[in-house]
Amino acid sequence: MESSTPLFLRNLWYYALPTQQLKPGRLVAKTLLNEPILFGRQRTGEAFALRDVCPHRAVPLSCGQFDGKAVECCYHGWRFDPTGRCTAIPSLTDGQKVNLERFQVEAYPVQEQQGNIWIYMRDRARPPKAEPNIEMAVPTVPGFVGKSHQGMEAMSFPCYVDHAVVGLMDPAHVPFVHRSWWWRDAPELSEEVKAFDPSPYGFTMREHPLVNQTLFYRLVGKSPTVEISFQLPGVRIERVTTAQHQVCNLTAITPISESETEVTTLFYSTIPWFSALMPLLKPFVRKFLNQDRDMVVKQQIGLRTQPKLLLIRDADTQARWYYRLKREFAQSVAASRPFVNPVSEQILRWRS
Ligand code: FES
Ligand SMILES: [Fe+2]
């Protein structure tokens, strides 16, 4: 973690959970960025998020009841609507007048699209001028507006968010870490030359032919091309296009705490049989994610000695950009000024 940037970036949309995990009339409690959050879905279908702490005497609201309209705390039965407004205090007698507006639970903006719920984690000391920051849209998988994913996998990594993000954009580890007969079986390195452009709150590896085709992409269609974009706080969208189809993978990284990070990977496809294939693909996706996770576990052993880490040119340039994007974003929030993307167009070369 860099000393000039806060532990977690604020005034950003973070991936919270997939739509299917939050059924109408239900609650889900989840810690994100060290904050206990209660997600709920009204009977009418709308999702909401509240701080999972009762303002009365701090019992988690998630321990209480939800009737699809209001959350009732299990300790003294205070009720809160999905905007966090207190609507009832059962202990009050008829004559007792209390302004219930004083007992507000913090509500978080949420947005649901493409089968996912995103949450806006504002900086309480420096909230954006328009709230939530309207300039920043929730990450969208291109070509799948109004559609949901056909497969997903989520995994908890025992590390600080940066190590998970850097692993996601690190091309040099692939031949060593993801060594499998179905992906790549031996580290025969080849030279890669890739063009990058700045893109909103991140950068994009320009669309190019996919040469090192894996078994999976041979199934997708002829002459595939790939484009990979990254944006803060930790969202990578890979888009593979063939003459016939499109397969997209969105990977979102959300900090749970300073030592735990959730990695969620979601698949979108125009292939009609993709959903049927997903149960077969799932073990491979899990194995792939686990390979990254295992490396993070090993890395934690060395990190205990608090070494200074190295980032070399080209192979680690994307990781350098990530740190620069983070720093610039934090500074723009601190100074209440617009974000200026520090990445400029560049060609990177490495062997992987
Ligand atoms: S602690 Fe929640 S109602 Fe008292
Ligand atoms: Fe990896």
Side-chain angles (χ1 to χ4, degrees):
M1 173 194 352
E2 302 220 320
S3 56
S4 57
T5 49
L7 188 58
F8 305 124
L9 291 182
R10 294 274 173 175
N11 291 352
L12 278 168
W13 289 99
Y14 280 88
Y15 184 86
L17 68 167
T19 287
Q20 74 258 27
Q21 269 179 24
L22 193 61
K23 305 266 187 274
R26 293 292 182 84
L27 301 173
V28 172
K30 192 163 178 172
T31 298
L32 301 178
L33 282 67
N34 267 336
E35 288 182 27
I37 299 169
L38 177 67
F39 292 92
R41 190 186 295 286
Q42 303 182 57
R43 288 229 187 279
T44 52
E46 242 171 294
F48 63 91
L50 300 175
R51 188 170 173 82
D52 192 14
V53 181
C54 181
H56 184 215
R57 286 227 277 287
V59 167
L61 292 173
S62 55
C63 298
Q65 303 275 344
F66 180 50
D67 62 4
K69 286 187 191 138
V71 182
E72 186 181 282
C73 179
C74 63
Y75 200 175
H76 312 92
W78 289 25
R79 290 172 68 82
F80 302 91
D81 73 10
T83 68
R85 212 164 47 97
C86 181
T87 55
I89 296 181
S91 63
L92 292 177
T93 65
D94 281 348
Q96 290 172 331
K97 291 260 178 294
V98 173
N99 179 9
L100 298 185
E101 274 167 28
R102 284 165 49 210
F103 313 123
Q104 177 84 23
V105 178
E106 185 184 354
Y108 298 81
V110 291
Q111 211 170 300
E112 191 160 16
Q113 65 172 33
Q114 297 185 317
N116 303 304
I117 298 167
W118 298 81
I119 184 166
Y120 191 77
M121 301 298 284
R122 67 167 77 82
D123 186 329
R124 294 182 186 87
R126 301 177 204 85
K129 293 199 182 85
E131 198 172 336
N133 188 344
I134 40 159
E135 278 170 43
M136 173 174 290
V138 167
T140 307
V141 181
F144 292 88
V145 172
K147 304 229 168 68
S148 186
H149 43 86
Q150 287 141 302
M152 67 156 294
E153 196 61 60
M155 208 174 269
S156 162
F157 281 31
C159 66
Y160 176 58
V161 60
D162 285 359
H163 303 301
V165 173
V166 165
L168 192 70
M169 56 179 55
D170 167 23
H173 81 287
V174 177
F176 297 93
V177 173
H178 302 295
R179 213 184 277 190
S180 310
W181 62 265
W182 50 272
W183 190 256
R184 294 178 62 162
D185 44 13
E188 279 172 33
L189 306 193
S190 57
E191 187 168 328
E192 306 281 340
V193 181
K194 300 279 154 62
F196 288 82
D197 299 298
S199 51
Y201 299 96
F203 52 86
T204 297
M205 185 191 288
R206 214 176 283 166
E207 188 173 8
H208 61 276
L210 192 64
V211 276
N212 268 332
Q213 281 183 53
T214 60
L215 178 65
F216 172 70
Y217 286 123
R218 268 174 258 150
L219 298 172
V220 176
K222 287 212 166 59
S223 30
T225 60
V226 61
E227 182 195 81
I228 303 171
S229 68
F230 172 81
Q231 73 183 79
L232 291 175
V235 179
R236 176 189 190 268
I237 299 175
E238 182 183 276
R239 191 159 62 102
V240 174
T241 311
T242 67
Q244 296 83 14
H245 290 295
Q246 199 171 110
V247 177
C248 290
N249 166 233
L250 184 152
T251 301
I253 293 185
T254 305
I256 303 298
S257 68
E258 51 271 75
S259 58
E260 189 188 352
T261 299
E262 190 169 60
V263 180
T264 307
T265 189
L266 304 132
F267 294 91
Y268 295 78
S269 161
T270 57
I271 303 171
W273 43 264
F274 194 86
S275 299
L277 187 75
M278 210 48 220
L280 295 172
L281 280 179
K282 239 173 146 47
F284 295 105
V285 175
R286 266 202 96 68
K287 171 115 195 254
F288 193 87
L289 276 181
N290 251 319
Q291 289 169 334
D292 286 319
R293 190 182 180 280
D294 285 349
M295 200 48 61
V296 155
V297 170
K298 292 189 176 90
Q299 187 186 28
Q300 290 301 308
I301 302 167
L303 287 175
R304 274 185 227 135
T305 66
Q306 296 181 309
K308 182 153 169 39
L309 307 181
L310 303 175
L311 295 171
I312 63 167
R313 286 207 188 275
D314 284 43
D316 292 336
T317 292
Q318 294 178 74
R320 287 172 172 230
W321 286 340
Y322 166 65
Y323 286 114
R324 283 178 61 188
L325 285 159
K326 244 188 116 170
R327 212 178 309 130
E328 162 57 18
F329 191 84
Q331 285 169 0
S332 72
V333 169
S336 296
R337 61 161 174 81
F339 169 83
V340 181
N341 195 325
V343 178
S344 48
E345 183 186 332
Q346 205 174 322
I347 308 277
L348 300 180
R349 292 183 166 79
W350 65 77
R351 286 170 63 79
S352 68

